[in-house]
Amino acid sequence: MGTFLFLLLIFFVVIPLIKSMTAIYRARKAARRFFEQFRQSAPSSGNSRATPPNEPRRQRKKINPDDGEFVQFEDLPADNSAGHTSASETVIEQQVVDVEWEDLK
C-alpha cells in the first residue's frame, strides 16, 4: 500500500512539478535570448530612440525661451465682506435623502 501511495505522489506531484519548472526555465531562457538580441541590434549611440522614416521632424518652438517677463505676485488680504463665512462659523445644511432604507431579514 505504501508503494502505491508513493507512486501516486510521484505521478501527481513530482512529475507535474518538474514539467512546470522546465517550462519556466525555457521561458526565462527565451526572454533572456530575446533581450540579448535586442541589445545587440540597438544603436550604440547616445540617442537610444531611433525615429522612424515616416515620422515628421519636430519643429522648433516659435517663442524663444529667453523672451518673456517674470511676473511677481503679491498676496492680498482676505475680504470677508463678500459674504464668505469665517473659519469659526459653521453652517449646517439639511441632509437630502432620496431613498428609504429597509433592512432585509
Side-chain angles (χ1 to χ4, degrees):
M1 183 71 180
T3 7
F4 180 70
L5 290 176
F6 183 69
L7 289 174
L8 285 177
L9 176 73
I10 289 175
F11 187 72
F12 287 110
V13 176
V14 176
I15 292 175
L17 185 64
I18 291 173
K19 284 183 179 182
S20 62
M21 301 253 318
T22 56
I24 291 171
Y25 175 75
R26 286 181 188 147
R28 290 183 70 199
K29 188 175 178 181
R32 209 176 295 129
R33 192 176 326 122
F34 173 76
F35 285 117
E36 281 297 322
Q37 288 175 354
F38 178 73
R39 193 176 299 136
Q40 290 173 0
S41 66
S44 61
S45 65
N47 186 4
S48 62
R49 182 176 177 245
T51 57
N54 296 343
E55 185 177 325
R57 288 188 168 197
R58 280 189 154 183
Q59 295 180 355
R60 291 184 4 191
K61 291 189 174 186
K62 294 181 181 180
I63 300 173
N64 188 0
D66 297 333
D67 293 341
E69 299 177 5
F70 175 73
V71 178
Q72 185 173 1
F73 293 96
E74 61 183 54
D75 292 331
L76 298 176
D79 184 19
N80 289 337
S81 65
H84 298 291
T85 59
S86 65
S88 63
E89 188 179 324
T90 306
V91 177
I92 299 175
E93 296 180 357
Q94 184 78 15
Q95 183 176 0
V96 178
V97 178
D98 54 338
V99 174
E100 293 291 330
W101 291 97
E102 183 178 322
D103 290 334
L104 299 176
K105 294 182 181 182

